């Protein structure tokens, strides 16, 4: 093989390998807006209906093993009042989570920040699975409908000024 062809072949192979390694080396931590747009579903099935997901009100993170946790608000119009009171969004986790001190297995769930200080997680049939106590953050400068904020080895899962601790297991 001629030296020029060898050099071009070697450079091409190096680029392909570098690209493959970069694609696999996604960093743990909060997902960017472009990443969220790629992975957050546009609709979510819960309690016999499909609801539109509010991608603008979504957040998520990548765990150290590369697996994802996604949360987003959904449009609950059309749901029965007793379901819509508790069901505000979707939670999809590929890892075990600790939410407010309770373990949650990988899966797809509905959630809601209800009452004065409660966070509830339901299975897709709207059956209550867990409840945690929320904390009110009076110092939060700009509350938004939904966000995850990194906090040490975990996250604060906010709805406005209310939050519950979310930690990867």
């Amino acid at each position: 093989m001629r030296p020029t062809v060898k050099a071009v072949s070697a450079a091409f192979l190096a680029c392909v390998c570098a690209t493959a390694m970069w694609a696999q080396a996604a960093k743990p931590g909060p997902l960017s807006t472009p990443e969220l747009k790629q992975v957050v579903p546009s609709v979510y099935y819960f309690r016999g209906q499909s609801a539109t997901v509010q991608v603008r009100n979504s957040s998520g993170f990548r765990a150290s093993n590369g697996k994802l946790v996604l949360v987003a608000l959904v449009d609950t119009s059309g749901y029965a009042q007793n379901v819509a009171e508790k069901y505000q969004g979707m939670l999809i986790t590929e890892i075990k989570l600790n939410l407010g001190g309770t373990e949650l297995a990988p899966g797809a769930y509905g959630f809601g920040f209800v009452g004065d200080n409660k966070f509830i997680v339901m299975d897709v049939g709207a059956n209550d699975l867990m409840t945690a106590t929320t904390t009110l953050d009076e110092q939060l400068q700009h509350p938004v409908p939904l966000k995850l904020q990194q906090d040490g080895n975990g996250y604060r899962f906010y709805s406005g000024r209310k939050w519950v601790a979310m930690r990867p297991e």
Side-chain angles (χ1 to χ4, degrees):
M1 203 181 266
R2 292 185 289 177
T4 307
V5 174
K6 280 185 181 180
V8 170
S9 296
F12 177 73
L13 183 59
C15 287
V16 168
C17 289
T19 301
M21 286 173 39
W22 177 79
Q24 291 177 351
K27 288 176 154 181
L31 298 175
S32 67
T33 300
E35 288 173 311
L36 288 168
K37 287 180 180 179
Q38 286 182 329
V39 296
V40 172
S42 57
V43 294
Y44 187 71
Y45 175 83
F46 186 82
R47 187 53 191 102
Q49 293 181 236
S50 292
T52 303
V53 175
Q54 299 175 16
V55 178
R56 71 186 178 284
N57 288 315
S58 67
S59 193
F61 67 89
R62 180 175 287 103
S64 59
N65 61 5
K67 294 186 177 184
L68 301 176
V69 174
L70 305 171
V71 293
L73 296 180
V74 297
D75 177 8
T76 59
S77 61
Y79 279 92
Q81 182 177 354
N82 64 333
V83 174
E85 286 174 353
K86 298 189 308 182
Y87 174 50
Q88 297 165 0
M90 57 142 242
L91 164 63
I92 300 173
T93 178
E94 297 178 337
I95 59 171
K96 281 184 188 176
L97 290 175
N98 182 304
L99 281 165
T102 303
E103 187 176 287
L104 185 67
Y109 304 98
F111 74 82
F113 285 84
V114 295
D116 289 335
N117 64 344
K118 295 294 178 200
F119 173 76
I120 189 166
V121 176
M122 300 157 282
D123 64 18
V124 295
N127 301 299
D128 295 355
L129 296 178
M130 62 154 286
T131 303
T133 302
T134 61
T135 302
L136 189 63
D137 187 346
E138 295 285 351
Q139 305 304 314
L140 187 64
Q141 293 294 323
H142 302 287
V144 295
L146 181 141
K147 79 174 180 175
L148 289 176
Q149 180 177 316
Q150 207 157 11
D151 185 23
N153 293 335
Y155 293 83
R156 287 184 177 191
F157 179 16
Y158 279 94
S159 174
R161 293 188 186 279
K162 296 180 196 177
W163 65 273
V164 65
M166 178 185 282
R167 206 176 64 244
E169 291 285 304

